[in-house]
Amino acid sequence: MRRARRPAASTMPTLADVGREAGVTAKTVSRVLNGDGPVAGRTRERVLAAVRRLGYRPNLMARNIRIGARDATVGLVIPELGDPFFGAVAGGVEHAVRARGLTLIVGSSEETAAREEALIATFLNRRVSALLIVPAAGGDHRHLRAERAAGLPVVFLDRPPARLTADCVVSANREGSRAGVAHLIARGHRRIGFVGDLPALYTRRERLRGYRDALAAAGLPFERTLVTTGHGPEAAARATLRLLGLREPPTALFAGNDLAALGAVVALARAGRKDVALVGFDDPPLAEALDPPLTVVAQDPAGIGGAAAELALARLDGDRSRARRTVVPTRLIARGSGELPPPG
Amino acid sequence: MRRARRPAASTMPTLADVGREAGVTAKTVSRVLNGDGPVAGRTRERVLAAVRRLGYRPNLMARNIRIGARDATVGLVIPELGDPFFGAVAGGVEHAVRARGLTLIVGSSEETAAREEALIATFLNRRVSALLIVPAAGGDHRHLRAERAAGLPVVFLDRPPARLTADCVVSANREGSRAGVAHLIARGHRRIGFVGDLPALYTRRERLRGYRDALAAAGLPFERTLVTTGHGPEAAARATLRLLGLREPPTALFAGNDLAALGAVVALARAGRKDVALVGFDDPPLAEALDPPLTVVAQDPAGIGGAAAELALARLDGDRSRARRTVVPTRLIARGSGELPPPG
DNA sequence: GTGAAAGCGCTAACAT
DNA sequence: ATGTTAGCGCTTTCAC
């Protein structure tokens, strides 16, 4: 008796079923389908006919079990698949992985270390061939040491691992940010506001470093009052208004990510302030359609995903060199919003 | 001798290894881990200790094989994971699926029927528990009849299946489009251009129908010269310029998707035409930051993904009612770009 | 409360 | 050129 809840599973024909239908053994069918041992032309035909007749589909799980291989999948843990940035990262991973005949399995951690750990555990139990992780803040990846030692490729994306040495692919956050702020300084701005995300995020910290680098390089003072903190466009909009309300307000703003830029643009528009220069990090689709068009430090999310996947695939091919950090360049796209000189 | 190419696989401890370490049988370990049969408290402790010591991870593939269950995964075939719209759809699927303890596996068809078929075959071979498909144009889904008959939940998203009756979740394309165009007509526009994608796409055809519905309801004539065709923002920009160059140009535009809207906005800005009203389909992040803010017919991509996943899960729970079509509502968000009255 | 044997669907290693 | 046997890691069945 087979259980009733899984009709699709119990109805599926097996190799033996096909063999019976074709008048041969399961092994012969296996040979035909995997093209190893020799098979007579006529047998081959009969087998293929039986396969079609029964709608046979090889069971990959059973196959993997037998040949002792890991599952032909790559696991990706990402904060949120629906986020445009991370969606693009996932797309980059998917292309690289599929080109290699592997399948992508994804889960969203929702920026939670607990969910991230649960997803990683699930993926490891599935025996994925490689693991790609955009780590949530507050996590601890020491438990992956053993897996790495056992030869499982583990690559971190967008943010470095915590308490673990492992491969890692990140944007040129600091340098990109520096270039964006330098762009504003070159237009004569001396008071530049930083509209940033929460300090727990690696990217915010790096981009703030780049901001300070640019100020330092120009001999400008760093002022804490010009640095704001907040997650999401509404927080960024409020932060922008607060900056504009300072006794000595900034004449230009640098937005630390796409949502911060959105908040800043909206706040400036609502306040009717066309005299404030703005440079954003990340290049959302409508940036060029804004008025003025938004100058940005563009990242390459698909590039990050692709590079991470390639690195994992190289490890899978036996690359045993020590853990390396790949930095994906950013690109300053001057469109107009950063060209504004300071008033006066 | 185990093969050398898969060190991670061959090193992994098995149930038997854990049993040996704890001085019990594999079966007892299995009992502890799955909590079925009775186990003595002390044995249990010893087993759990051994599990931790060896870093044991249950092999899900082997488990599934034995219990004859399908894999605890849902397969999703999507045109492009990196596309913001489809990324959001995938995010909606992922949330619903994860809440159920299932794992998402995704592949990009790149709008190609061949790739789509290959992905479907891979997923079926993996014995996914359900199949979600955004069908590429030009495909044929008759081959899925058998799978559906065998009880496999198959749900189509965003577009209906070809030559197959199956569950399907789509946006209210026609009605949304009608509402968007009616919005323009209500502002007095009588010549409205349609900036659309390629006719092979189901969504373009439906939205064009909605456009015609709105015209007909207002007693306005349908003019073929006002309807354009082209994929991507550049094509849309060219189409927009062509419409504006007509002897009797439209006073308003309706853009059939996000990229068409982007192209139209950019073209209007470049041409310095602030006098042309515009309504778009889809609600990209910066739409509200445009000048004027973009009026749109917003879709709910995550809602589409979620609804499709829920439908599949209900089927998995035994819902055997006949195939149904779920229509996810759209929402007209009036922001300004559609408020412009026709000149004169 | 625990173990031994059998078997899920498949393939490696040897027959024949 | 094909079949037999054994076994992958796990769970079911039945014995103790």
Side-chain angles (χ1 to χ4, degrees), chain B:
Chain B
M1 275 303 275
R2 314 219 170 162
R3 73 204 55 67
R5 289 168 46 223
R6 306 280 189 184
S10 44
T11 311
M12 298 287 278
T14 74
L15 265 194
D17 294 332
V18 177
R20 207 168 304 125
E21 177 85 3
V24 295
T25 325
K27 178 59 212 176
T28 304
V29 181
S30 169
R31 276 198 262 260
V32 171
L33 262 34
N34 296 299
D36 40 57
V39 226
R42 286 192 31 74
T43 318
R44 174 187 194 70
E45 309 266 307
R46 285 213 318 282
V47 166
L48 290 177
V51 163
R52 262 189 298 274
R53 214 156 37 234
L54 298 184
Y56 171 77
R57 298 194 164 278
N59 186 324
L60 285 183
M61 295 188 289
R63 178 169 212 278
N64 280 336
I65 270 281
R66 180 58 249 239
I67 67 182
R70 300 197 65 99
D71 193 14
T73 51
V74 168
L76 171 65
V77 180
I78 218 169
E80 181 55 58
L81 189 51
D83 179 286
F85 178 81
F86 292 117
V89 170
V93 171
E94 197 268 345
H95 282 274
V97 152
R98 184 157 45 82
R100 209 10 210 282
L102 297 173
T103 301
L104 178 66
I105 90 182
V106 217
S108 300
S109 68
E110 300 175 8
E111 296 284 12
T112 308
R115 274 192 208 279
E116 176 187 319
E117 275 207 52
L119 285 168
I120 291 175
T122 303
F123 291 174
L124 290 175
N125 289 356
R126 301 199 78 82
R127 301 292 191 270
V128 292
S129 293
L131 199 47
L132 306 183
I133 305 169
V134 178
D140 185 333
H141 305 105
R142 278 175 294 184
H143 64 109
L144 288 169
R145 266 203 59 176
E147 314 289 343
R148 275 181 37 84
L152 180 76
V154 179
V155 180
F156 289 81
L157 298 79
D158 190 50
R159 311 163 188 173
R163 299 159 185 260
L164 179 77
T165 302
D167 291 319
C168 174
V169 176
V170 292
S171 266
N173 290 297
R174 185 168 179 175
E175 166 54 20
S177 179
R178 190 208 56 75
V181 175
H183 179 81
L184 291 168
I185 293 174
R187 268 72 193 164
H189 294 280
R190 301 184 56 77
R191 292 185 68 74
I192 302 172
F194 182 86
V195 184
D197 210 314
L198 301 177
L201 272 83
Y202 164 80
T203 47
R204 135 118 193 184
R205 294 198 305 270
E206 286 297 302
R207 291 169 196 172
L208 185 56
R209 283 206 181 93
Y211 166 87
R212 298 186 68 154
D213 289 346
L215 294 183
L220 295 175
F222 171 72
E223 294 190 31
R224 301 193 54 163
T225 48
L226 292 179
V227 175
T228 69
T229 290
H231 183 68
E234 292 78 15
R238 283 193 300 273
T240 299
L241 292 182
R242 199 156 44 67
L243 285 173
L244 297 181
L246 289 177
R247 244 188 318 207
E248 289 187 89
T251 62
L253 299 175
F254 184 77
N257 63 43
D258 52 347
L259 298 183
L262 170 55
V265 171
V266 169
L268 289 178
R270 284 202 196 122
R273 295 292 299 266
K274 296 241 168 200
D275 59 328
V276 179
L278 174 64
V279 171
F281 211 100
D282 255 355
D283 190 26
L286 287 178
E288 56 178 310
L290 294 176
D291 182 28
L294 185 64
T295 291
V296 297
V297 178
Q299 299 190 76
D300 180 8
I304 294 174
E310 297 294 354
L311 188 45
L313 294 175
R315 297 296 187 191
L316 219 45
D317 288 338
D319 179 348
R320 294 273 177 282
S321 57
R322 50 183 279 245
R324 63 168 160 277
R325 165 178 302 224
T326 303
V327 177
V328 177
T330 55
R331 194 164 53 96
L332 179 69
I333 304 179
R335 293 211 179 93
S337 70
E339 301 295 338
L340 222 56

Side-chain angles (χ1 to χ4, degrees), chain A residues 70 144-152 320, chain B residues 6-9 11-12:
Chain A
R70 302 197 63 100
L144 288 169
R145 266 203 60 176
E147 314 290 342
R148 275 181 36 85
L152 180 75
R320 294 273 175 281
Chain B
R6 306 280 189 184
T11 311
M12 298 287 278

Side-chain angles (χ1 to χ4, degrees), chain A residues 175-202:
Chain A
E175 167 53 19
S177 179
R178 190 206 59 73
V181 175
H183 179 80
L184 291 168
I185 293 174
R187 268 71 191 165
H189 295 280
R190 302 184 54 79
R191 290 184 69 73
I192 301 171
F194 181 85
V195 184
D197 209 313
L198 301 176
L201 272 83
Y202 165 80

